[in-house]
Amino acid sequence: MIKRLQQKIVIIITLLLAVSVLVVMLAINIVAQSQSVRQLKDRMSAIADQNGIAVRGNIDPYQGEDSAYIDNFSVIINNYNEIVQITFNRDIIVNEDDIIEYVNSALQTQQEFGFLGRYAFLVSNKHSGKIIVFLDATTHNQQTRNLIITTSMIGVAAVILFFLLAVGLSFWLVKPVKETFEGQKRFISNASHELKTPLAVISANADVLEAEIGENKWLGYIHSEASRMSELVNELLFLARIDDKSGHKMVTAEFSLTDTVLQTALPFESRMFEEGKKFDVDAQEGVMLDGDQSAIKHVLTILIDNAVKYSAEKGEISVKLYTKNNKKILEVYNTGVGIKPDKLDKIFERFYREDEARNSKSGGYGLGLSIAYEVVKMHKGTIKAESDYGHWVRFTAMFN
């Protein structure tokens, strides 16, 4: 739980900062691009005002005096789009066919300003026609590319730095939660151990009284509630041992998952018969699993018992074991009310009960499925729930 919380914190912080960096970098590129385009337009407008002759005073302070004579050529056309005059600046070579193609392309765009290959163009109206100024935009394009590359590298470096900072910050943020959680685990473990003795004494005294005075409904209530409390204590202790990684060691060995399924499921047949429910067990032969057999049996017991409790009256319950794509798949299915779609991702949380009234009646504490989830995860497997609300529910555990 603590690790998942840390991961969420890291992801959220990194995403927020990454988006902020992206917005800043994008703004820088947009502003720089607009300024560069404005400079191009100003320079080309000055050339157009001089009928295609570059003005020497139009100098870029960052490029030197030669910038006033940057490669460009201008074309004056009349109202019939016929070329009247071509003016070249600097020693550039543009043949007539290329000039005609550039002019036609610029006119077809129906834009006042744009880019055609290496040239930027500006169309300016004259009283007798138009003048189109073409200016070499290689430097502009290169500066734009360099700025994009630079800001991208800075952005990536910033995201990596923010990620590392988020990781460090997550440890500091979850420290109080971790301390509280560790204290809660110690309390649950200690309280559970302390409760085992008085529960055993209560049950033993109830047995002695029953032997002396015979069966009594009040003693029956004592036995029933003591049994429920004992079940809760055992589940809490089981979770405490799972949480205490240093103290809980799985007894792993290769065992027959097929036999484990049959041994766990078949004792439920008498209970199914009494409740008038259909019970089907289908276990593929020869399925082996490397893990803790008693823990897997506990998972099976939880899932089958859960299916019995929440199955429909005279409903159907099935347990299946099969292999697919080198995976061992265990399914426990039952008809009944099922689980609401928005609750499917919550049922494996500790102490979560979808319907408080129903679970109180059935005796559940909201720990069984969380235990199943933890045990399956310890075996590097996955478990999920599927349901058609109002009709059925299926739990599927998958192991490598």
Side-chain angles (χ1 to χ4, degrees):
M1 185 185 77
I2 299 298
K3 287 185 177 179
R4 288 199 296 270
L5 179 60
Q6 280 184 283
Q7 290 171 355
K8 288 181 180 179
I9 291 174
V10 170
I11 291 172
I12 291 172
I13 293 177
T14 304
L15 282 177
L16 289 175
L17 295 176
V19 170
S20 301
V21 169
L22 177 62
V23 171
V24 172
M25 295 296 105
L26 188 61
I28 291 174
N29 279 276
I30 291 174
V31 171
Q33 174 72 4
S34 63
Q35 289 178 343
S36 181
V37 167
R38 187 172 63 252
Q39 290 176 356
L40 281 176
K41 285 183 177 180
D42 292 343
R43 182 177 298 167
M44 296 168 76
S45 294
I47 295 174
D49 291 341
Q50 299 296 319
N51 290 326
I53 305 299
V55 182
R56 186 169 178 78
N58 185 29
I59 298 176
D60 187 337
Y62 299 102
Q63 300 294 333
E65 292 190 2
D66 259 0
S67 66
Y69 300 106
I70 191 167
D71 292 347
N72 64 83
F73 63 94
S74 304
V75 179
I76 298 177
I77 60 177
N78 58 26
N79 291 324
Y80 302 100
N81 290 338
E82 297 174 342
I83 296 177
V84 176
Q85 177 183 322
I86 300 176
T87 304
F88 294 94
N89 289 282
R90 302 194 68 175
D91 297 329
I92 62 172
I93 300 176
V94 184
N95 60 49
E96 185 176 347
D97 292 337
D98 289 339
I99 291 175
I100 294 173
E101 183 178 350
Y102 277 125
V103 170
N104 291 333
S105 297
L107 293 174
Q108 286 174 3
T109 63
Q110 296 183 346
Q111 295 178 354
E112 181 184 341
F113 176 84
F115 292 89
L116 294 172
R118 60 179 289 191
Y119 291 100
F121 70 87
L122 177 73
V123 180
S124 181
N125 292 320
K126 295 290 185 179
H127 66 277
S128 59
K130 297 178 180 178
I131 180 171
I132 307 176
V133 179
F134 294 90
L135 188 142
D136 190 345
T138 302
T139 302
H140 163 82
N141 295 333
Q142 186 61 48
Q143 288 175 344
T144 300
R145 285 193 294 269
N146 290 341
L147 181 62
I148 292 174
I149 293 172
T150 302
T151 54
S152 298
M153 293 175 63
I154 294 174
V156 171
V159 170
I160 293 174
L161 177 62
F162 289 150
F163 172 76
L164 296 176
L165 290 174
V167 171
L169 185 62
S170 68
F171 283 99
W172 178 73
L173 289 174
V174 302
K175 185 178 179 181
V177 179
K178 186 175 181 180
E179 291 175 352
T180 301
F181 186 65
E182 292 296 331
Q184 182 190 61
K185 288 193 299 184
R186 287 193 297 271
F187 170 76
I188 291 175
S189 178
N190 294 337
S192 299
H193 279 291
E194 293 297 327
L195 285 171
K196 287 182 72 70
T197 300
L199 283 173
V201 172
I202 291 171
S203 296
N205 285 322
D207 290 337
V208 172
L209 284 174
E210 190 174 36
E212 291 185 359
I213 65 176
E215 292 185 2
N216 183 289
K217 69 175 182 178
W218 310 112
L219 292 176
Y221 294 153
I222 293 174
H223 278 301
S224 176
E225 294 305 314
S227 177
R228 289 188 62 204
M229 282 296 295
S230 179
E231 180 184 351
L232 173 60
V233 168
N234 289 332
E235 289 182 342
L236 289 172
L237 284 173
F238 193 91
L239 279 174
R241 288 195 296 270
I242 290 176
D243 290 333
D244 185 6
K245 298 295 190 295
S246 61
H248 180 73
K249 302 294 183 182
M250 286 197 306
V251 181
T252 58
E254 189 176 38
F255 64 93
S256 172
L257 187 56
T258 301
D259 293 343
T260 303
V261 169
L262 295 175
Q263 293 168 5
T264 307
L266 293 181
F268 283 88
E269 284 188 333
S270 58
R271 182 176 171 185
M272 304 294 183
F273 179 77
E274 292 176 359
E275 298 184 12
K277 297 178 180 179
K278 182 180 178 181
F279 187 47
D280 181 54
V281 180
D282 182 13
Q284 179 180 323
E285 294 184 1
V287 179
M288 306 296 291
L289 181 66
D290 187 16
D292 189 327
Q293 185 177 13
S294 63
I296 295 298
K297 189 172 182 179
H298 195 172
V299 171
L300 278 164
T301 302
I302 290 170
L303 295 179
I304 298 174
D305 185 64
N306 193 71
V308 176
K309 287 178 179 177
Y310 304 126
S311 58
E313 185 177 353
K314 298 187 182 300
E316 297 181 8
I317 299 170
S318 67
V319 179
K320 292 183 180 180
L321 173 67
Y322 59 94
T323 58
K324 183 179 180 181
N325 298 329
N326 297 323
K327 303 281 187 180
K328 291 94 173 178
I329 302 174
L330 175 66
E331 293 182 356
V332 179
Y333 165 93
N334 68 270
T335 57
V337 176
I339 304 170
K340 295 178 182 178
D342 60 328
K343 306 296 184 183
L344 286 173
D345 59 341
K346 298 180 180 179
I347 58 175
F348 294 106
E349 296 177 2
R350 297 183 185 185
F351 301 105
Y352 178 79
R353 299 195 295 184
E354 183 183 6
D355 185 336
E356 292 293 332
R358 187 186 71 176
N359 281 273
S360 296
K361 182 179 178 181
S362 61
Y365 296 100
L367 289 175
L369 291 177
S370 62
I371 290 175
Y373 175 85
E374 294 293 343
V375 171
V376 172
K377 189 173 72 171
M378 287 170 60
H379 286 78
K380 302 188 184 306
T382 59
I383 185 170
K384 65 178 182 179
E386 301 169 280
S387 179
D388 181 4
Y389 186 64
H391 297 90
W392 56 265
V393 62
R394 180 191 296 115
F395 288 91
T396 305
M398 187 180 299
F399 304 93
N400 293 320

